[in-house]
Amino acid sequence: MDKLYWLDQIKLQDLAKVGVQAFDLSKIKQRGYPVLPGFVVEADVLRQFLETLNSSESLIADLPYSSLHLDVHNWRQLQQVAGRLRQEIISATVPPHWVRTIFQAARQWQRSSLILRPSLAISNNQEMKNVSGLLEPVFCPCEEEEIGEALKLLWSQLFRARSLLYWHSAGLSLPSINLGVLVQPVDNAIASGVINTKSSAWDIEATWGLGLAITNGEVLPDVYYIEPKTGAVVERQLGNKMLAYRLHHGNAFTDEQLQPTLDTDFLLAYILEESQQQEYALPEEFLQELITVSNQIVSELGATLTMKWTVAKESLATKLYITEVTVPQSVNKSVQFIQGIGAARGRIIANAHIFSSSQKAIQVPQGVILIAPVITPDCLPLLQGVAGIITEQGGLTSHGAILARELGIPAVVSATGATTLLQAGEKLLLDGNKGEIYRFTEDKENFPSEEIEELIKEEKIVNYQPINLPIIATKLLVNLSQGRLIEQVKCLPVDGLGLLRSELMMLNILEGEHPQEWLIAGRKAELLELLSEQIKQFARAFSPRPIFYRSLDYLPHDLLLSQSSIYSERNRTILGDRGVFSYMQNPAVFELELQALAIVQASGYRNINLLLPFVRSVEEFIFCRQKVEQFGLTQISQFQLWIMAEVPSILFLLPEYIKAGVAGISIGTNDLTQLLLGIDREQGKLGRIFDESHPAVMGAISQLIKMSQAGGIPCSICGQAPVLYPEMIDKLIEWGISSISVEPEAVERTYQAISRAEQRLILAAARRQLSNLKN
């Protein structure tokens, strides 16, 4: 836990850390309105806590990154999962130094009691409107042990059955939910309630004591109808208020645990005297003060607000406080928000640079956020110095997403209308973790330039030093294509390069032309030298660790880099002449690649292997194998010829491929998923149903691993699935995957996930053996 965020110091860029409720409350406190002091325990503290949970349950072990896939319509399963998750949290221990930090900060208020309020920031502003009441505040004494228990109680509410059902129905994954905890002192109240303001009318609700009686629906509150322009009370209605709540002492609990008239150890629900029931709860002087304060807040924040208030007893005085404020995003003018899909992790603040697909830009300014309709491979030279990427189209497996992850820069894809809604040169906050884009216009005092560097202190690619790493049996490989990243990536704890994407690597040397154009122009020798030198860089850096060079697999829109209609017209379908089929139609470029690999072998490098993309038939593989033999690559005993397992026909033909000489397979979950589910992976709008953890995809992966084992060949996986769904790693290890290949930014957490999965399998096997011995 790095620090606490005090209400009078929260800035605009802290929104995702502290949550919307705390952020809105901080705005009015910083403008001098009567708000109780308080601080926020940021959302990342919950993530750090979840990472410490030690359980053999994969759902729990992979928190906070688990996508929590479960059948929410199976109520028995839903209740069981919710109960198990909450029990794990409640029984865990909050690090003592965290609790001590919170206690020492709260002790300065010299109050005996605290309230911990949930403060959410989630991916979709429209969905935020429906979150009210999903999570409740927690009360506790201002004592270290009770603070720790209260934190766990509040955090565990994320995993109640109704919460899990809500996250599922809203299409939210756990990483997209940011739960901050607002900590404030709490005193006994004379009266509490809510004020709702609209341009046409206001109403104030009030009851005796703490506001729980209204929240729980246990009273019919007094209601005051206010004329907004004059502040006059137009009408009053006396409510039906039989009970109220006040503070007592004892352990923390949520208000859902209270029962009317039940004397708990901390809060007391008590029956009001009949004479008090017949009185209006809100004293007249505080009614007028509340109207005046609300008028001032409305003039600054907008006509439509919801605020909770309390008239609290303090040692020497009674004061009015605003305890919560909700500002609809549509009237929150300081933040303009665009939602997309988070495709590459990280957060960055920089100026926008709009790039139209019709442009032929020579270069893009350094350090900007590049905004484009779509990123095609020929855009790669433009990305070398950008700070982040936003695209209107594409999904998690689009070229823009893949390139951003490899370059280590944050990216948001499928941000509809970004090139028209955003303006060139304006300052943006790009959050690739949650797929959110914020633009800053009016509220510039909340965005001081001296804090920018602190915000973006996130390493792009971890320069990882493997110290005291657990030993893993499953091989971990890395995906790469950019030579300038070799020095950073080669130090990662990986067993080799599992996917060298040739088409992205070659874009650095192709000068915007298709390789065939070079051959037609008589530049074969020049291209051959450049290509072999590029491959040699990777072979040299990773030697003796193996490298799997995937031969060219241009998608149809990749061919836009060519000016010749020969290549664009015939490839306008989704699949076009993809993969090795194009080698059979025109083998010249493939032969050039094989010649380059032979040159690398002749230079003394024995760690280079070939991975064939998008193989549709055994006949296609045999054609390629004969070409490989023709160029002498198989004369080196270490050389292996693999194929990508991404076309579903391989599920039926793998034994035939093995007979024909396939030495190994690498499962490409991106293409396998789109072909099994009939979803174009480039279409961001289909992102929610492009699910690599779909039972059909998981079944196919399991079958491929088992068939590989039966055929005596290794099986790797190189798509995004293990990164997007870390809980999948448990299954992959259990099924016997030989290796997992991921982007550089995901190496460290994938290594740890593999280690946990292997340890769970070992533990399970040991328990079975022990049980057998006992029997």
Side-chain angles (χ1 to χ4, degrees), residues 308-381:
K308 291 186 179 181
W309 56 269
T310 188
V311 177
K313 293 180 180 179
E314 296 186 358
S315 56
L316 299 175
T318 302
K319 294 184 179 180
L320 170 73
Y321 289 106
I322 303 297
T323 59
E324 290 184 36
V325 60
T326 302
V327 184
Q329 291 291 60
S330 59
V331 298
N332 191 344
K333 298 179 181 179
S334 65
V335 181
Q336 296 188 30
F337 172 85
I338 297 176
Q339 177 67 43
I341 299 173
R345 295 161 63 87
R347 299 171 73 234
I348 196 78
I349 291 174
N351 293 328
H353 180 84
I354 310 296
F355 176 70
S356 169
S357 57
S358 61
Q359 284 180 283
K360 294 298 177 184
I362 299 176
Q363 80 180 85
V364 171
Q366 296 280 305
V368 299
I369 295 174
L370 180 66
I371 306 169
V374 65
I375 297 292
T376 52
D378 55 313
C379 295
L380 179 60

Side-chain angles (χ1 to χ4, degrees), residues 328-609:
Q329 291 291 60
S330 59
V331 298
N332 191 344
K333 298 179 181 179
S334 65
V335 181
Q336 296 188 30
F337 172 85
I338 297 176
Q339 177 67 43
I341 299 173
R345 295 161 63 87
R347 299 171 73 234
I348 196 78
I349 291 174
N351 293 328
H353 180 84
I354 310 296
F355 176 70
S356 169
S357 57
S358 61
Q359 284 180 283
K360 294 298 177 184
I362 299 176
Q363 80 180 85
V364 171
Q366 296 280 305
V368 299
I369 295 174
L370 180 66
I371 306 169
V374 65
I375 297 292
T376 52
D378 55 313
C379 295
L380 179 60
L382 305 177
L383 305 182
Q384 301 303 323
V386 304
I389 297 172
I390 300 171
T391 67
E392 294 180 316
Q393 303 170 31
L396 290 172
T397 57
S398 63
H399 278 304
I402 291 172
L403 288 168
R405 288 192 292 268
E406 183 166 323
L407 294 171
I409 57 177
V412 173
V413 298
S414 196
T416 305
T419 58
T420 54
L421 293 173
L422 302 174
Q423 297 179 1
E426 70 174 320
K427 192 163 288 184
L428 303 176
L429 167 59
L430 171 62
D431 191 331
N433 300 333
K434 296 186 290 295
E436 298 172 350
I437 305 152
Y438 296 91
R439 57 191 300 190
F440 303 95
T441 52
E442 299 176 7
D443 204 1
K444 292 184 173 60
E445 72 272 13
N446 278 331
F447 187 61
S449 58
E450 63 267 18
E451 295 193 9
I452 295 177
E453 291 302 319
E454 181 179 346
L455 176 65
I456 62 175
K457 281 180 183 174
E458 296 187 14
E459 295 183 40
K460 301 306 177 187
I461 294 180
V462 181
N463 234 338
Y464 196 81
Q465 298 299 321
I467 301 174
N468 297 324
L469 284 174
I471 296 174
I472 59 176
T474 307
K475 291 181 180 179
L476 178 59
L477 309 172
V478 66
N479 303 334
L480 199 62
S481 70
Q482 301 306 296
R484 68 186 181 87
L485 300 178
I486 289 176
E487 288 304 310
Q488 293 172 284
V489 174
K490 72 178 185 180
C491 297
L492 295 171
V494 295
D495 297 295
L497 207 169
L499 179 61
L500 175 51
R501 296 186 179 97
S502 59
E503 59 275 2
L504 300 184
M505 180 195 72
M506 287 184 69
L507 287 169
N508 295 305
I509 61 178
L510 286 175
E511 300 176 356
E513 294 182 332
H514 191 280
Q516 190 69 33
E517 303 263 354
W518 286 62
L519 302 184
I520 293 173
R523 303 174 66 188
K524 176 180 177 180
E526 181 185 357
L527 181 57
L528 181 61
E529 181 181 359
L530 290 171
L531 177 57
S532 59
E533 285 301 315
Q534 283 272 330
I535 300 172
K536 203 177 294 182
Q537 285 185 57
F538 294 93
R540 182 186 306 116
F542 283 89
S543 181
R545 293 175 290 180
I547 290 175
F548 288 86
Y549 172 91
R550 188 180 69 186
S551 51
L552 286 169
D553 182 26
Y554 278 116
L555 298 172
H557 48 270
D558 297 346
L559 300 172
L560 294 175
L561 57 82
S562 172
Q563 299 302 308
S564 172
S565 62
I566 295 173
Y567 311 111
S568 57
E569 289 297 330
R570 74 182 186 192
N571 285 282
R572 286 187 174 177
T573 61
I574 292 176
L575 300 179
D577 294 353
R578 280 197 60 184
V580 298
F581 179 77
S582 65
Y583 307 169
M584 298 177 71
Q585 300 296 302
N586 190 343
V589 175
F590 181 54
E591 290 173 350
L592 177 83
E593 291 183 272
L594 296 179
Q595 192 173 350
L597 294 177
I599 292 172
V600 174
Q601 277 191 353
S603 301
Y605 296 104
R606 300 291 187 265
N607 59 331
I608 194 76
N609 303 285

Side-chain angles (χ1 to χ4, degrees), residues 35 38 52 57 112 115 158 201 221-222 245 273 324 374 439 472 486 488 547 600 605 616 677 700 712 717 724 763:
V35 173
T52 66
E57 294 285 348
S112 61
I115 182 170
L158 275 179
D222 303 331
Y245 285 96
E273 295 288 341
E324 290 184 36
V374 65
R439 57 191 300 190
I472 59 176
I486 289 176
Q488 293 172 284
I547 290 175
V600 174
Y605 296 104
R616 295 176 173 91
L677 301 183
I717 188 167
L724 295 176
L763 179 60

Side-chain angles (χ1 to χ4, degrees), residues 246-259:
R246 61 179 173 85
L247 296 173
H248 199 29
H249 298 288
N251 298 322
F253 54 88
T254 64
D255 55 5
E256 71 170 353
Q257 293 171 284
L258 292 172
Q259 297 297 326

Side-chain angles (χ1 to χ4, degrees), residues 737-751:
I737 196 79
S738 306
S739 59
I740 299 174
S741 192
V742 299
E743 312 296 335
E745 58 90 21
V747 164
E748 181 180 355
R749 62 181 185 274
T750 305
Y751 193 108

